[in-house]
Amino acid sequence: MPPIDRLPQPMTGLILSGGGARAAYQVGVLAAIAELLPNAEYNPFPVIVGTSAGAVNAVGLACGALQFREAIQRLTNVWRAFHSNMVYRSDWSGVVGQASRFIAQHMLGFAGSAPVALLDNRPLRALLERELDFSGIAAAVRQRQLHAVAITAFGYESGQAVTFYQGRATIDPWFRHRRVGVPTRLKLDHLLASASIPLIFPPVKVNREYFGDGAVRQAAPISPALHLGASRVLVIGVSGNLQHEDANAVVSRVRGAQPPSLAQIGGHMLNSTFIDSLESDIESLERINLLSRLLPDVARARLGIRPVDVLVISPSQPLDQIAARFRHELPRAVRPFLYGSGATRSSGGAVLSYLLFEPGYCNALIELGYQDALAQQAAIRRFLNLDGAPPAP
């Protein structure tokens, strides 16, 4: 198989956004893409970038980049068998004990030696330690089947979105307003930091600073892939794909002014964190592409503007509605804490859609992602130039 450096350019980047349990959708899309590849070993994404739960999928792909289809299968197997107790303590003693520690530290002022959040995610650490072999990243980079992989976390002290990346030595770090790129050898703490949703999961100390979910204040989610050398990007989003809905249809659903539940408020805050920045960045990139095509070559070179092809695959159905159908899967010990907030009602499905790490819901998202990708397989084949990909050995 020829190394990536000799493959036809441009270099393709994969963007995997955050979203808790919603990231199961990404696995379904990737499974469909893997079936389209003529070579099971071929990695069509030299640059892989992930944030939050998307960072888990990104690192899983990068660790197995030498056997791409096999890496997808491993990810799929994990997500299909997911239960909440594999991500956070969901038993009565674990939930009540964690809630008591949270109240004691953050509301009563009893300081502790370690940060405390609403949920204890030590099971997630144990799961990732079992499933991920970080040495696979270095091996893939060394054999030129991976140019770089990056995950973003938010520094609570510095207020910066820090992209930790591992890849070719020719990649320079970058410094922008409140976002920097730092070369490093990725470890489990980087990944857990990127996936630590504020207040829900505890921050993780990396070097001298505590970090949390990378989606917080990540103004330009696509930017890291471009800094790492990607000249076109495939974005797998986790929004409800309502951006194409007619505005009048949205307004017509508003039946009357009802006080928002705590779950509705929380859902909008989570959507703002995980979805809005990515969709805004896609819109900005599309405008830059339009401007670039209108400018003569000399002007583009002077301004440093180059078009970046973008293909977006996002859910064809609202994920909060799917989550509401599976709310009965929520662990019994967690239900009382979400019942009062309205998260177990259909109007509170947005919060549920981020936390419902259960087989029924995750498998429904995997199937939806798979079908959505197959519906766009012609566009995917053109975008990835699969007809020109390396033939199967």
Side-chain angles (χ1 to χ4, degrees):
M1 186 192 313
I4 282 175
D5 288 356
R6 297 178 189 171
L7 294 180
Q9 294 299 316
M11 187 177 292
T12 305
L14 174 66
I15 309 293
L16 300 174
S17 61
R22 290 180 173 218
Y25 175 84
Q26 299 169 350
V27 177
V29 174
L30 291 169
I33 292 175
E35 289 185 1
L36 298 177
L37 299 177
N39 186 336
E41 298 179 357
Y42 171 58
N43 170 28
F45 306 110
V47 174
I48 304 174
V49 176
T51 303
S52 191
V56 175
N57 290 336
V59 170
L61 288 182
C63 289
L66 293 178
Q67 297 286 339
F68 185 78
R69 193 175 298 174
E70 184 178 314
I72 298 295
Q73 187 60 56
R74 286 199 303 270
L75 272 178
T76 303
N77 291 341
V78 171
W79 278 97
R80 285 195 179 281
F82 247 139
H83 287 275
S84 296
N85 61 11
M86 299 167 63
V87 181
Y88 54 86
R89 287 281 302 273
S90 59
D91 57 291
W92 280 104
S93 61
V95 171
V96 174
Q98 189 70 12
S100 300
R101 286 188 289 272
F102 182 85
I103 293 172
Q105 184 175 98
H106 296 291
M107 297 183 181
L108 301 180
F110 293 104
S113 58
V116 177
L118 284 169
L119 296 175
D120 179 356
N121 67 339
R122 283 180 293 181
L124 178 61
R125 176 181 286 271
L127 172 68
L128 296 178
E129 283 179 339
R130 292 195 307 269
E131 296 293 336
L132 297 177
D133 179 7
F134 283 83
S135 66
I137 297 176
V141 173
R142 187 168 53 250
Q143 296 188 38
R144 298 188 177 184
Q145 297 306 316
L146 180 68
H147 187 71
V149 57
I151 56 180
T152 300
F154 171 72
Y156 281 103
E157 188 69 23
S158 64
Q160 292 181 322
V162 180
T163 298
F164 299 101
Y165 66 88
Q166 181 175 346
R168 302 296 300 276
T170 55
I171 303 173
D172 294 326
W174 61 89
F175 303 89
R176 298 292 186 270
H177 178 64
R178 293 200 178 279
R179 51 190 174 92
V180 299
V182 178
T184 188
R185 192 177 184 89
L186 292 178
K187 299 178 181 178
L188 184 57
D189 281 345
H190 296 105
L191 186 52
L192 288 170
S194 179
S196 293
I197 303 174
L199 298 181
I200 296 178
F201 295 141
V204 178
K205 192 173 185 179
V206 178
N207 299 326
R208 293 176 294 177
E209 185 176 8
Y210 277 100
F211 287 87
D213 199 293
V216 177
R217 301 189 73 173
Q218 188 183 32
I222 298 176
S223 176
L226 305 183
H227 282 292
L228 294 172
S231 53
R232 63 181 180 184
V233 292
L234 188 150
V235 180
I236 306 179
V238 294
S239 72
N241 199 32
L242 300 179
Q243 60 267 31
H244 303 301
E245 190 173 12
D246 182 78
N248 292 326
V250 176
V251 173
S252 67
R253 290 202 306 267
V254 181
R255 301 298 181 183
Q258 296 292 329
S261 66
L262 183 60
Q264 283 178 295
I265 296 172
H268 286 299
M269 294 177 65
L270 289 171
N271 289 340
S272 177
T273 299
F274 290 111
I275 296 173
D276 292 354
S277 293
L278 178 60
E279 293 184 346
S280 297
D281 205 23
I282 292 172
E283 287 184 0
S284 298
L285 190 57
E286 289 174 344
R287 291 191 184 99
I288 292 174
N289 284 342
L290 178 60
L291 175 62
S292 175
R293 296 185 183 100
L294 294 175
L295 292 174
D297 293 341
V298 175
R300 282 204 303 265
R302 186 182 300 116
L303 295 173
I305 297 176
R306 58 184 174 90
V308 177
D309 290 336
V310 182
L311 176 62
V312 180
I313 302 176
S314 58
S316 58
Q317 301 176 27
L319 301 192
D320 53 348
Q321 293 182 14
I322 297 176
R325 297 205 309 264
F326 291 95
R327 57 182 178 270
H328 63 277
E329 293 189 341
L330 197 67
R332 292 184 181 275
V334 180
R335 292 179 192 177
F337 294 91
L338 296 180
Y339 178 80
S341 69
T344 56
R345 299 193 295 270
S346 58
S347 61
V351 168
L352 200 60
S353 70
Y354 289 95
L355 298 177
L356 194 56
F357 293 93
E358 295 296 335
Y361 176 60
C362 289
N363 278 278
L365 297 198
I366 291 172
E367 181 62 23
L368 179 63
Y370 181 83
Q371 295 300 331
D372 285 349
L374 289 184
Q376 294 194 54
Q377 65 174 295
I380 292 172
R381 294 187 68 87
R382 287 194 302 269
F383 186 81
L384 297 180
N385 190 30
L386 291 184
D387 293 332

